Amino acid sequence: MQFVNVGYFLIAAGAVLFALGFLGCYGAHTENKCALMMFFFILLIIFIAEVAAAVVALVYTSVAEHYLTLLAVQTIKKDYGSQKDFTQVWNSTMEGLKCCGFNNYTDFEESPYFTDNKVFPPYCCFDDVNGTEPCTKKRAEDKPVQGCFKQLLSDIRTNAITVGGVAAGIGGLELAAMIVSMYLYCNLK
């Protein structure tokens, strides 16, 4: 259900950006000072929110990691194996990142999947994903499969320069749009 909500959020964000782009184009084309000023202020609010979110993300990274760990592990213990969509998303994640659980195989110990089957997901024993042998606790302990959170953080750190460059580029475009709209606003009679 959370993925559906993300889809709705992205649709709403696209609609807002479409309306904002239309407002800017309309203000520039018709030389409407009110539309240009609204465009500027809405873009300024979005820019300030993005900068604030980046600062908060940098300052509170460790706190966010702690709360994310608590939330994710509790959700795995409660829903993995009982909710089909949640289980499928985790399976895809573990398969794609070659990882097991959020921290490691112990995240599944109280899950419905483990309770029903008395084995861990096959991704926790990565050399036998196709399943000739079940992934028991002993086998999972012997396998050095790391948690998905560590793998995801590693991937993010590897691509941090690209992500930062894209974010800086978007911020630059927003600043350029604000400068142009203010220039037009000031030079209209």
Side-chain angles (χ1 to χ4, degrees):
M1 193 62 189
Q2 291 172 348
F3 287 104
V4 173
N5 292 338
V6 169
Y8 288 145
F9 173 76
L10 292 177
I11 290 170
V16 168
L17 290 177
F18 175 77
L20 183 62
F22 178 77
L23 184 65
C25 289
Y26 172 77
H29 180 70
T30 61
E31 298 181 353
N32 185 329
K33 283 185 144 189
C34 181
L36 284 172
M37 190 53 69
M38 281 179 52
F39 174 77
F40 174 81
F41 278 120
I42 293 171
L43 208 54
L44 180 64
I45 290 168
I46 291 171
F47 182 76
I48 290 171
E50 288 172 349
V51 170
V55 168
V56 168
L58 289 173
V59 171
Y60 293 107
T61 301
S62 62
V63 174
E65 286 178 17
H66 175 70
Y67 284 117
L68 185 61
T69 301
L70 289 176
L71 179 68
V73 171
Q74 288 175 354
T75 307
I76 288 172
K77 289 181 186 284
K78 186 179 86 165
D79 294 336
Y80 187 84
S82 65
Q83 288 191 6
K84 182 181 177 187
D85 293 338
F86 181 79
T87 304
Q88 189 174 14
V89 167
W90 263 108
N91 286 342
S92 297
T93 302
M94 290 187 291
E95 181 178 12
L97 294 176
K98 307 281 189 264
C99 58
C100 174
F102 193 79
N103 297 311
N104 57 25
Y105 72 93
T106 59
D107 296 342
F108 297 101
E109 285 183 334
E110 298 170 21
S111 71
Y113 180 86
F114 184 77
T115 304
D116 293 345
N117 302 313
K118 303 295 184 224
V119 294
F120 295 102
Y123 307 102
C124 297
C125 301
F126 69 90
D127 61 345
D128 193 29
V129 173
N130 293 329
T132 55
E133 287 184 50
C135 187
T136 61
K137 185 168 184 156
K138 174 121 176 63
R139 289 193 66 226
E141 286 173 350
D142 294 339
K143 302 296 178 186
V145 181
Q146 68 178 351
C148 294
F149 188 62
K150 289 178 186 172
Q151 184 66 33
L152 186 62
L153 282 179
S154 172
D155 289 351
I156 288 172
R157 288 183 182 121
T158 302
N159 298 313
I161 294 173
T162 305
V163 171
V166 169
I170 290 171
L173 287 174
E174 288 174 351
L175 281 174
M178 287 189 291
I179 290 168
V180 168
S181 68
M182 192 50 68
Y183 175 79
L184 287 174
Y185 176 82
C186 292
N187 289 320
L188 288 178
K189 296 185 172 112

